[in-house]
Each structure stands twice: as C-alpha cells, then as structure tokens.
Amino acid sequence: MSFRGTSVGQNTKFSNKEQKLLKSIKFPAVYAQPINVQAINMDAMRDWAAKRIFELLGVDDDIVTEMVFEYLAEDNGAVV
C-alpha cells in the first residue's frame, strides 16, 4: 500500500511555531558569547538567586529556591 501527499514534516501547516518565533526575534550580540559555567562563584549566585526569588514571589518558597539551587549545582562541565 502506498501513500500519496506530504508528510507532517513537509507540510508548513504543522511547522514548529517556537522555531519560527526564535528566528524572528533579534537577540543582542552579547548573547552569542559563550559562558564558562565553571568560573561562576556559586555561593554568590545562590545568595543572589534566593534574594531574587523572594523579590519575584513575595514569599520565601523553599521548594522553588531549592529547585533553582539544584539546577545551578548540576555539573555538566559545559560551556553555555
């Protein structure tokens, strides 16, 4: 049995909307520079992140704060 027509990947009706949006956004040139994550002082980052989360949420949410700390503590050795 053979099928005729286009696949989902070929049909523009089903294109990835996020990719299209990202292509239309003009990011500053500084965003293209790589960041050495290993050079970041994580103690200072933890303090800043805790204060910023409190500012944004208005309450001291331990769950969100710890989730952010876990994300920051991930050692993937990558340069972002």
Side-chain angles (χ1 to χ4, degrees):
M1 174 188 252
S2 65
F3 295 99
R4 296 176 58 192
T6 59
S7 67
V8 174
Q10 295 170 332
N11 192 343
T12 59
K13 179 179 176 184
F14 300 108
S15 66
N16 190 344
K17 304 285 189 234
E18 288 182 24
Q19 285 181 347
K20 188 175 181 180
L21 179 63
L22 283 174
K23 287 180 183 178
S24 68
I25 297 174
K26 301 294 181 199
F27 293 105
V30 72
Y31 287 0
Q33 295 178 349
I35 298 171
N36 183 359
V37 180
Q38 302 299 326
I40 296 174
N41 182 351
M42 284 301 168
D43 292 331
M45 181 64 76
R46 286 176 62 98
D47 293 341
W48 176 84
K51 290 176 187 174
R52 185 67 178 139
I53 291 169
F54 180 75
E55 289 174 6
L56 293 172
L57 298 178
V59 294
D60 190 18
D61 190 342
D62 292 335
I63 295 172
V64 174
T65 305
E66 287 300 319
M67 182 188 72
V68 170
F69 293 163
E70 293 272 333
Y71 181 74
L72 290 174
E74 285 182 4
D75 184 25
N76 55 12
V79 176
V80 180

